[in-house]
């Protein structure tokens, strides 16, 4: 008898970060959100977001640091791999943490390879222009898609100790437009614009073929990104003006944990419905045992 080969499901590659350019040409706004673990990433994918950014904002949102600067490559690898394991259909962009790409093109390529080959990211993101343009070109030359990040760049802002909107002066605005063009020419597949006034993001968006993804950059961008904890109401303290909270999960989480604590202390949790039954006969035999 001929053996029918057992059908196996084709391993489906996740969409390429390079496809983001066709979303812009099709006039489709791109939805990006940060996520840092498999559960969050799975939820983001079920909500139909286009891109998950494993941001180095994990430094503050997940790891308890005061800034993104201390985040290490090893931490980004763990977080990125978890996000990739939790998803199949979204583009996953991994941030290159501070110190992982600045020193040399060689180091930038080696670390971008770790994030894509070892952790499974579709693309990496680096901050800034100037020397970062050469880093982007080198990484792209090794076959890895790169997303740029201009405007307020948190790694540099933390080191300078000042988090200000960028491009409010005409000269600075012109610089941002030129840097954006340089990053596109270097081969970047998308560009995050953070905390820049709408006239500047509108000019950049019109000048580029690649999509702009704004955070605090107004509605003219080709897409938007928000940080998970900000969007879901998990961040304590003062929020940047560009954040819109779509839920109050922080409050709901505290309320749930308070209810749990109350029930444990009062003995109402666990109830019998949360326990495992023992066959009557076995129980009697057990309870009849001498202690
Ligand atoms: O690290 C991050 O979450 C980011 C976003 C703010 C764009 O870079």
């Amino acid at each position: 008898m001929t053996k029918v080969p057992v059908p196996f499901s084709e391993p489906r590659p996740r969409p390429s970060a390079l496809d983001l350019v066709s979303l812009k040409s099709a006039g489709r706004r791109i939805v990006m959100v940060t996520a840092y673990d498999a559960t969050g990433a799975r939820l983001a994918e079920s909500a139909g977001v286009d891109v998950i950014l494993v941001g180095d904002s994990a430094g503050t949102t997940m790891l308890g640091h005061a800034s993104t600067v201390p985040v290490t490559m090893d931490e980004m690898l763990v977080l990125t791999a978890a996000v990739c394991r939790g998803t199949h259909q979204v583009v996953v962009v991994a941030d290159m943490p501070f110190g992982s790409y600045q020193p040399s093109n060689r180091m930038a390529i080696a670390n971008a390879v770790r994030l894509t080959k070892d952790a499974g990211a579709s693309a990496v993101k680096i901050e800034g222009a100037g020397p970062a343009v050469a880093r982007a070109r080198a990484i792209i030359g090794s076959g890895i898609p790169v997303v740029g990040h201009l405007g307020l760049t948190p790694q540099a802002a933390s080191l300078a100790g000042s988090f200000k909107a960028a491009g409010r002066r005409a000269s600075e605005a012109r610089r941002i437009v030129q840097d954006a063009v340089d990053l596109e020419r270097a081969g970047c597949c998308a560009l995050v614009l953070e905390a820049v006034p709408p006239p500047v993001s509108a000019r950049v968006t019109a000048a580029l073929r690649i999509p702009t993804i704004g955070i605090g950059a107004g509605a003219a961008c080709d897409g938007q990104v928000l940080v998970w904890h900000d969007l879901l109401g998990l961040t304590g303290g003062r929020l940047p003006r560009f954040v819109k909270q779509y839920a109050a999960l922080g409050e709901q989480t505290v309320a749930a944990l308070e209810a749990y604590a109350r029930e444990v202390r009062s003995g109402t949790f666990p109830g019998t419905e949360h326990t495992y039954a023992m066959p009557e006969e076995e129980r009697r035999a057990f309870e009849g045992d001498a202690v």
Side-chain angles (χ1 to χ4, degrees), residues 34 53 55-57 95 125 149 192 194 215 225 227:
T34 70
L53 171 64
D56 61 354
S57 50
D95 254 338
K125 176 166 82 59
H149 185 155
V192 168
E194 181 164 352
I215 174 160
V225 54
V227 168

Side-chain angles (χ1 to χ4, degrees), residues 8-9 23 44 46 57 59 88 104 106 128 149 161-162 172 185 187-188 190 195 221 238 240-241 245 248 258 268 287:
F8 61 92
S9 56
L23 293 184
S46 356
S57 50
H88 305 284
S104 66
R106 206 183 153 89
H149 185 155
S162 134
E172 203 192 353
R185 285 194 185 135
C188 285
C221 294
R238 226 177 112 240
R241 65 179 280 127
Q245 291 189 312
E258 282 172 352
T268 45
E287 288 179 351

Side-chain angles (χ1 to χ4, degrees), residues 237-271:
R238 226 177 112 240
L239 290 169
R241 65 179 280 127
F242 56 72
V243 170
K244 178 166 176 184
Q245 291 189 312
Y246 286 84
L249 295 197
E251 281 167 30
Q252 283 186 34
T253 304
V254 173
L257 292 170
E258 282 172 352
Y260 166 63
R262 261 194 316 275
E263 292 197 2
V264 169
R265 291 188 181 120
S266 66
T268 45
F269 175 81

Side-chain angles (χ1 to χ4, degrees), residues 151 164-177 179 200:
K164 282 194 305 206
R168 291 173 113 162
R169 304 180 79 88
S171 57
E172 203 192 353
R174 279 186 215 109
R175 179 77 263 156
I176 292 172
V177 178
D179 288 346
V200 183

Side-chain angles (χ1 to χ4, degrees), residues 59-280:
T60 53
T61 58
M62 303 294 291
L63 303 175
H65 293 302
S67 81
T68 58
V69 172
V71 177
T72 65
M73 265 304 294
D74 285 346
E75 287 162 346
M76 287 307 297
L77 286 167
V78 169
L79 302 173
T80 304
V83 164
C84 291
R85 282 191 292 267
T87 57
H88 305 284
Q89 286 149 27
V90 289
V91 172
V92 175
V93 177
D95 254 338
M96 297 197 69
F98 181 71
S100 71
Y101 61 96
Q102 287 88 350
S104 66
N105 287 353
R106 206 183 153 89
M107 185 189 246
I109 295 171
N111 282 321
V113 167
R114 292 180 77 197
L115 287 164
T116 48
K117 179 175 170 169
D118 300 348
S122 333
V124 297
K125 176 166 82 59
I126 63 176
E127 294 185 7
V133 176
R135 301 291 175 269
R137 192 177 293 111
I139 298 168
I140 293 158
S142 73
I144 297 170
V146 174
V147 174
H149 185 155
L150 294 175
L152 191 163
T153 48
Q155 295 174 3
S158 304
L159 291 165
S162 134
F163 282 81
K164 282 194 305 206
R168 291 173 113 162
R169 304 180 79 88
S171 57
E172 203 192 353
R174 279 186 215 109
R175 179 77 263 156
I176 292 172
V177 178
Q178 187 53 53
D179 288 346
V181 169
D182 290 347
L183 285 167
E184 176 172 89
R185 285 194 185 135
C188 285
C189 62
L191 177 68
V192 168
L193 282 176
E194 181 164 352
V196 302
V200 183
S201 56
R203 177 82 68 88
V204 172
T205 302
L208 301 186
R209 196 180 52 86
I210 61 170
T212 55
I213 311 214
I215 174 160
C221 294
D222 299 302
Q224 299 292 326
V225 54
L226 280 177
V227 168
W228 181 270
H229 291 64
D230 295 343
L231 185 159
L232 294 174
L234 289 163
T235 311
R238 226 177 112 240
L239 290 169
R241 65 179 280 127
F242 56 72
V243 170
K244 178 166 176 184
Q245 291 189 312
Y246 286 84
L249 295 197
E251 281 167 30
Q252 283 186 34
T253 304
V254 173
L257 292 170
E258 282 172 352
Y260 166 63
R262 261 194 316 275
E263 292 197 2
V264 169
R265 291 188 181 120
S266 66
T268 45
F269 175 81
T272 36
E273 70 276 27
H274 305 117
T275 58
Y276 299 94
M278 198 174 184
E280 196 47 30

